[in-house]
Amino acid sequence: MILKNVIFSNQPYTRTLVCHLPMSQNSSKNVAVIGAGSAGLVAARELQREGHRVVVFERENQLGGTWVYTPDTESDPVGIDPNREIVHSSLYSSLRVNLPREVMGFGDYPFVAKKKPGRDPRRYPSHGEVLEYLNDFAVDFGIIGVVRFGMEVGFVGKMENGKWKVSCRKRENDDLFANEEYDAVVICNGHYTEPRIADIPGIEVWPGKQIHSHNYRVPDPFRDQVVVLIGGAASATDISREIAEVAKEVHISSRSATSGVPMKLPGYDNIWLHNMIEAVGSDGGVNFQDGSKILADIILHCTGYKYHFPFLETNGIVTVDDNRVGPLYKHVFPPAFAPSLSFVGLPWKVIPFFLCELQSKWIAGVLSGRISLPSKEDMNADIEAFYSSMAASCIPKRYTHNMDDSQFDYDDWLAAQCGSTPFEEWRKQMYLISRKNKRTLPETYRDEWDDDDLIIQAHEDFVKYIPELAQEQKLSR
């Protein structure tokens, strides 16, 4: 790793912010944005750039969405009690991002490291550094002034006059704030709050404890316990290894474990890999499909989340069916309500900030009339063709918004619609290398890498927005 001076800086950067001339007043819309996380913030910026008038509703008292860490957890550890007090964030204390910061940032607002008090200069920083970046973004683009903090949206619905009614309450005193009308609503409420739970035969008589990773913060509660962890994604990988430092045993149940017999995880004495759970019993036993059985104290569900829009009323037109939000044209517009209702940030297994930025540019341009949508009939036909192709390929409905292998084509399509710069090649290659390293070197990929040539290319692009980087690049060579 030779690029310390490229990655770090002691000086605050003067960013070159791209300004857009406002459109004519006739094309400007009053737009409500639900949520002030990364999706809501970039949506607000792009809407303002296009000349729209924006209000952002945020239920918490600070921006950042899921990137706001709290040690608080919910009263129901598996997160299925509808009457529980909901904790929005799913961050655990030790979480570090699983993408390099060069990849993560918005297109014209690079996520570069700063040597300032409280900042994390690592290439794969902690969750707190991402929150600082989002705060910087909101300040630099003047977004904070349009955010209504502590306002929980309870209802969004279409009115007879064609506008959208938005009702919300002040969370601190439960008073109804107001019913307001908007020309359009952009939903950016995230999808890391409503847990998905594995369906386990016999769980109703199993005597142990259950928890969803949404309520995991630190490993201490798992000390000296035998833990069964269900899942194989990034959070499961990180949490299983962290828990193993204090637990007696950790047994990972994952679809990807195909050996047919339980195996010890290389480098660990107390982590075993199993395939899926067959059933659990009243004796505390957990039986796996590989024929093995263990007595466990805790089952930890690292099984993902459900899309959840409890405030949205569309008379059954927009639904969530087996985690498919639809019908949506290109994961954004429901044809029946396009373009006045849209969603940002639904796709997963993606580079999220950049994708949200392109979706937001598209929405803003469509609302102003600068970009045209197909007819409702053509949008519905496109959706049906997409759903049919998934069914023909035997892809489960719950994977509708999984873009693991198609995100770059999707991003390039969005960029073409918006007249924006397409996805940079270095960003694609850096993402692919990081994904490979995450799979093959899960313990070390955040601190060791071999793509310095791509870092140089990234910072050469960043100079357009942070001119000071040009001098730092010279010093590093």
Side-chain angles (χ1 to χ4, degrees):
M1 293 178 284
I2 60 174
L3 300 176
K4 296 297 185 184
N5 288 323
V6 175
I7 299 174
F8 305 152
S9 173
N10 288 306
Q11 301 299 321
Y13 288 129
T14 303
R15 299 176 186 262
T16 303
L17 305 183
V18 179
C19 297
H20 291 238
L21 294 175
M23 69 183 79
S24 68
Q25 195 69 16
N26 291 335
S27 301
S28 179
K29 301 291 194 300
N30 291 315
V31 185
V33 174
I34 313 300
S38 56
L41 294 174
V42 75
R45 184 189 71 166
E46 295 303 328
L47 289 162
Q48 288 187 317
R49 281 180 163 181
E50 194 77 18
H52 300 295
R53 298 177 296 278
V54 181
V55 175
V56 181
F57 293 91
E58 171 52 50
R59 71 188 299 271
E60 305 299 332
N61 289 317
Q62 68 180 104
L63 57 80
T66 197
W67 292 103
V68 178
Y69 173 77
T70 174
D72 297 337
T73 57
E74 297 177 351
S75 55
D76 176 10
V78 290
I80 59 176
D81 180 358
N83 298 315
R84 73 194 188 280
E85 178 66 25
I86 292 175
V87 175
H88 186 74
S89 180
S90 297
L91 296 176
Y92 43 96
S93 178
S94 65
L95 184 143
R96 291 173 64 184
V97 300
N98 58 17
L99 290 174
R101 62 163 69 234
E102 298 88 2
V103 167
M104 281 191 68
F106 297 119
D108 61 358
Y109 197 81
F111 186 16
V112 294
K114 296 181 178 180
K115 276 194 173 178
K116 295 171 62 177
R119 299 301 288 259
D120 182 350
R122 292 175 294 180
R123 191 179 182 210
Y124 290 78
S126 67
H127 54 78
E129 174 72 1
V130 181
L131 182 61
E132 292 283 2
Y133 168 76
L134 293 174
N135 275 291
D136 290 344
F137 178 85
V139 169
D140 284 353
F141 289 100
I143 299 169
I144 293 178
V146 301
V147 180
R148 294 183 184 171
F149 292 103
M151 301 301 297
E152 184 168 18
V153 173
F155 176 83
V156 171
K158 192 77 175 286
M159 303 173 66
E160 290 184 1
N161 63 4
K163 294 184 182 295
W164 289 87
K165 177 181 176 181
V166 177
S167 302
C168 62
R169 67 182 178 90
K170 190 73 173 176
R171 293 188 69 208
E172 293 176 353
N173 54 23
D174 208 35
D175 289 339
L176 184 68
F177 176 73
N179 296 321
E180 298 182 347
E181 296 182 11
Y182 292 88
D183 299 313
V185 175
V186 183
I187 296 179
C188 308
N189 67 323
H191 48 89
Y192 296 104
T193 297
E194 194 71 11
R196 285 175 61 92
I197 302 297
D199 185 14
I200 305 173
I203 195 66
E204 65 278 359
V205 299
W206 189 72
K209 297 178 181 178
Q210 294 186 77
I211 182 175
H212 190 278
S213 58
H214 174 65
N215 287 302
Y216 174 79
R217 297 294 183 267
V218 294
D220 291 355
F222 299 86
R223 187 172 300 279
D224 300 324
Q225 302 291 292
V226 176
V227 182
V228 173
L229 184 149
I230 306 173
S235 63
T237 300
D238 289 344
I239 293 172
S240 63
R241 287 157 173 79
E242 184 168 81
I243 288 176
E245 296 177 5
V246 300
K248 182 179 179 181
E249 298 175 7
V250 176
H251 297 265
I252 301 173
S253 171
S254 172
R255 297 180 192 276
S256 60
T258 58
S259 67
V261 294
M263 297 177 58
K264 267 192 178 180
L265 187 69
Y268 291 86
D269 291 328
N270 64 339
I271 303 181
W272 285 265
L273 301 176
H274 302 258
N275 53 23
M276 300 302 291
I277 295 174
E278 185 173 80
V280 296
S282 59
D283 62 348
V286 177
N287 297 279
F288 297 94
Q289 293 176 2
D290 57 27
S292 62
K293 175 181 178 179
I294 56 103
L295 296 176
D297 302 298
I298 301 174
I299 293 177
L300 173 56
H301 298 256
C302 295
T303 44
Y305 297 85
K306 303 175 185 177
Y307 297 101
H308 191 52
F309 314 101
F311 51 83
L312 182 61
E313 176 54 64
T314 65
N315 294 319
I317 295 174
V318 179
T319 62
V320 181
D321 180 14
D322 192 18
N323 236 27
R324 169 186 283 173
V325 185
L328 294 183
Y329 177 62
K330 305 300 186 186
H331 307 274
V332 173
F333 290 108
F337 300 113
S340 63
L341 180 66
S342 56
F343 295 78
V344 174
L346 297 185
W348 49 283
K349 286 201 173 180
V350 297
I351 302 174
F353 290 9
F354 199 88
L355 180 143
C356 290
E357 181 178 10
L358 289 172
Q359 288 182 327
S360 299
K361 288 179 185 291
W362 187 35
I363 293 166
V366 169
L367 286 175
S368 71
R370 182 174 59 83
I371 302 171
S372 297
L373 286 177
S375 68
K376 285 180 170 52
E377 293 75 17
D378 287 346
M379 285 191 283
N380 279 316
D382 184 274
I383 295 167
E384 286 304 315
F386 173 46
Y387 291 171
S388 296
S389 69
M390 287 186 61
S393 301
C394 299
I395 299 173
K397 188 179 293 185
R398 65 182 179 273
Y399 291 110
T400 296
H401 306 293
N402 177 358
M403 286 197 172
D404 191 23
D405 297 320
S406 61
Q407 67 164 314
F408 298 143
D409 289 340
Y410 179 71
D411 289 337
D412 288 345
W413 183 89
L414 286 172
Q417 296 296 304
C418 302
S420 300
T421 303
F423 215 85
E424 306 99 330
E425 186 61 29
W426 64 259
R427 199 183 297 257
K428 295 178 184 179
Q429 295 304 316
M430 193 179 286
Y431 171 82
L432 293 172
I433 290 172
S434 175
R435 185 174 69 171
K436 176 180 70 70
N437 289 343
K438 180 170 58 177
R439 185 171 58 250
T440 59
L441 303 167
E443 282 89 5
T444 60
Y445 76 96
R446 291 182 174 95
D447 298 303
E448 299 176 8
W449 54 82
D450 57 1
D451 59 348
D452 285 345
D453 58 324
L454 296 177
I455 298 177
I456 291 172
Q457 292 178 43
H459 282 259
E460 286 173 347
D461 272 357
F462 294 169
V463 165
K464 293 181 291 187
Y465 311 106
I466 307 175
E468 294 90 334
L469 283 179
Q471 181 61 28
E472 293 183 13
Q473 285 177 316
K474 293 177 183 178
L475 292 173
S476 68
R477 296 178 179 175

